[in-house]
Amino acid sequence: MNAHLEQLSPRPLWRHFRTLCNTPRPSGHEAALVAILERWADGLGLAHDRDAFGNLRIRKAASPGFESAPGVILQGHLDMVAQANADHPHDFTRDPIETRVGEDGWLHACDTTLGADNGLGVAAALAILEDEALVHGPLEALFTLEEESSMGGALNLAEGWLEGSLLLNLDSEDRGQVYIGCAGGADVIVEAQLPSAPLVDHEVALRLSLTGLSGGHSGIDIHKGRGNANRLLVRVLRALEPFGARLVDYHGGTLRNALPREAFATLVLPDDEQASASERVAVLQEELRAELAGADEGLTLTLTPHDARPAEALTEQASQLLVRALHVAPCGVERMSVAVPGVVETSNNLGVVSLEGGRFHLCALVRSLRDSATEDLADRFRALFELIGARIRVENAYPGWTPNPDSPLLARFCRLHRERLGSDPEVKVIHAGLECGILGGKYPQLDMISFGPLIRGAHSPDERVELTSVAEFWALLRALVEDLARGEAR
C-alpha cells in the first residue's frame, strides 16, 4: 500500500513515511513499529536500546574526524492521532493509512488522520541516520511513545540515558518558523454516578445529534473560532430544559487533545413537548450556523425519534445539574499572553464527554504557558464539579518549555535559514504540548529548538502536508546536522 509515496522527493524520507503509514500506530499500539525500526537499525549496524517505558533510541557514531562535535538528538514521537470520518470504517490498530496526492500539491489521507504529525519528523530522523554522504557528529534518534494520548513516553523517559547536548524536535507544523517554547498541560478527569429514574408513560425518547464541525488540534487551533461539539450540544440541552428533557446517554469527542467534531445524546421528554422541542432545535441550528460562519461551516443539528425506548433516564434534577455544570465549565481560550503577543496563554478543551447507565465521564485538557495557570484552571474544574458530587483527578501533568531567545542552537538555525531560504524564520512559542518541556526538565543541559514541514488539520481527517515544504524541511535539517558537526564560525 502507498507505493506512490516512494516516488516523491526526497525519496529516503518518503520511503520511511510509507512504512509508518503501512504500520498501525495509534497511541498505545506502537510495539509493531518499534520492532520494525529495531530490525531496520540492525540491518544498518546501528546501536539501539529502549528505556523501561519502551522509548526507542537509535545511535550512530560520528563521521571520522568529527567525534568531538557536540552530540545531536533527533527527536519525535511514534504514535499518531486516530480519527476517521463517521461514515468511514477504519480500524487504527489493524488498517494502514491510505494516502493520496492532491492536485493542490498536498498529501492527504482518505477519510482518516494522515499521521504526518509526527510521522514526517520520524521519517526525517530515520533518513538522516541512513545518509552515508552526510557529515555529522554523534547522532541519537529518540522516538517516544504515547505522546498524543498522555505524553507518557516523555514523562517516563529514563534520566541519565541521553548523551547529546543539542536536541532537534521535529514535531512542529509551520514552514518558515522555529519554536523555542511551548505550553504545559494536564488532563482533568471528572467522574460521577448520577441517579436515574424509570420513564413514565407520556415520555418519548429522542436522539439529538450535532455533526459536521471541522475539529482540529486542541492547542494550535483553539483560538480559531471553530466549534466544540461538546460545548455546543450542551448548549442545546440547556435550551431543552424548559421542555422537561432528561438525559439518557451522551457521547461526544474521542480524544482530549482534538477539538470534538461530533456529539450525540439520547433524551426523553413529554410527548406533548416533542413538536415544540423540534422547533427549538431547528432555530438553534440556524443560530449556531450564523455564529460559526466563516470559522466552521457545515454544522448539522438534528432531533429525531429514537429507535428503542430506554428503561431509565437521569432524574430531572440530576440531568439539569449535569447540563448546567457542563454549560459553565471553562472551554476554549481563557487568556491571551501579554508576554508573547498573539499567543494563547491558557485554554481548555472539553475533549471527551460520555454518559452511560448513569455513569458520567469527562476528560478535559488544560494548557498554559504558565504552570501556575494550568493548576488554577484544573482546580476550577474541581471546585465546579464537586458541587454535583463528582470525583475529580488531575493526571499526566507536564511542564511548559521556557523560551531561551539567546540559544546558540537557535542562532545557528536562523543563520542557515537565512542563507538557504533567503529569509529569517519566525521565532515562535506554541500553545501546544511539545515534548521539549518535559525533556528539558529531565535534561536541563539541552539546547533545543523545534521545526518541521507545513501541516494543516492535524488531529482531524482533514490532516494534510504540503509536499514542497517537506523537501524544504529535509534540506534544512540535513544542512543543520552537518553545520553543527563542522562547527563553522560565522
Side-chain angles (χ1 to χ4, degrees), residues 112-128:
T112 70
T113 36
L114 174 62
D117 171 18
N118 181 223
L120 286 172
V122 170
L126 295 170
I128 288 289

Side-chain angles (χ1 to χ4, degrees), residues 63-86:
S63 300
F66 293 90
E67 292 83 0
S68 61
V72 174
I73 303 167
L74 308 170
Q75 192 266 319
H77 62 85
L78 295 181
D79 59 322
M80 64 173 284
V81 166
Q83 288 272 285
N85 287 324

Side-chain angles (χ1 to χ4, degrees), residues 331-353:
C331 182
V333 175
E334 180 74 12
R335 176 180 166 86
M336 299 296 292
S337 175
V338 175
V340 190
V343 173
V344 177
E345 181 174 281
T346 306
S347 73
N348 175 64
N349 180 47
L350 292 177
V352 182
V353 181

Side-chain angles (χ1 to χ4, degrees), residues 220-422:
I220 296 171
D221 298 321
I222 196 76
H223 65 292
K224 295 181 179 178
R226 298 177 185 174
N228 179 305
N230 286 326
R231 179 62 172 255
L232 296 175
L233 197 66
V234 165
R235 177 173 163 182
V236 176
L237 289 168
R238 169 71 171 154
L240 295 179
E241 280 186 12
F243 301 102
R246 295 196 290 144
L247 266 173
V248 176
D249 60 45
Y250 184 106
H251 298 280
T254 57
L255 293 167
R256 94 271 193 260
N257 61 351
L259 297 175
R261 297 178 295 115
E262 301 176 333
F264 308 91
T266 304
L267 54 92
V268 298
L269 47 70
D271 54 10
D272 59 357
E273 297 284 12
Q274 183 175 351
S276 297
S278 295
E279 292 174 3
R280 182 73 179 110
V281 167
V283 170
L284 282 167
Q285 176 178 251
E286 298 311 309
E287 290 179 355
L288 295 176
R289 284 178 172 175
E291 291 177 15
L292 292 170
D296 203 347
E297 310 285 351
L299 177 144
T300 298
L301 181 65
T302 61
L303 184 65
T304 58
H306 191 49
D307 294 336
R309 181 178 174 82
E312 293 186 326
L314 295 187
T315 64
E316 188 167 355
Q317 181 185 36
S319 186
Q320 290 180 357
L321 284 174
L322 177 59
V323 168
R324 292 174 186 182
L326 286 168
H327 188 51
V328 301
C331 182
V333 175
E334 180 74 12
R335 176 180 166 86
M336 299 296 292
S337 175
V338 175
V340 190
V343 173
V344 177
E345 181 174 281
T346 306
S347 73
N348 175 64
N349 180 47
L350 292 177
V352 182
V353 181
S354 67
L355 175 70
E356 191 75 41
R359 182 174 179 80
F360 169 68
H361 174 87
L362 162 67
C363 182
L365 176 53
V366 174
R367 302 180 190 267
S368 183
L369 300 180
R370 299 179 181 274
D371 294 343
S372 60
T374 300
E375 295 169 4
D376 178 66
L377 196 53
D379 188 58
R380 285 171 57 190
F381 269 86
R382 184 184 306 277
L384 170 62
F385 283 97
E386 282 179 348
L387 294 175
I388 68 167
R391 302 174 300 279
I392 301 92
R393 65 183 188 274
V394 179
E395 297 181 341
N396 303 319
Y398 54 91
W401 171 21
T402 303
N404 176 17
D406 299 321
S407 155
L409 176 59
L410 173 64
R412 189 173 290 271
F413 176 88
C414 290
R415 174 180 56 76
L416 273 176
H417 194 282
R418 194 162 48 245
E419 291 175 356
R420 299 187 66 87
L421 302 176

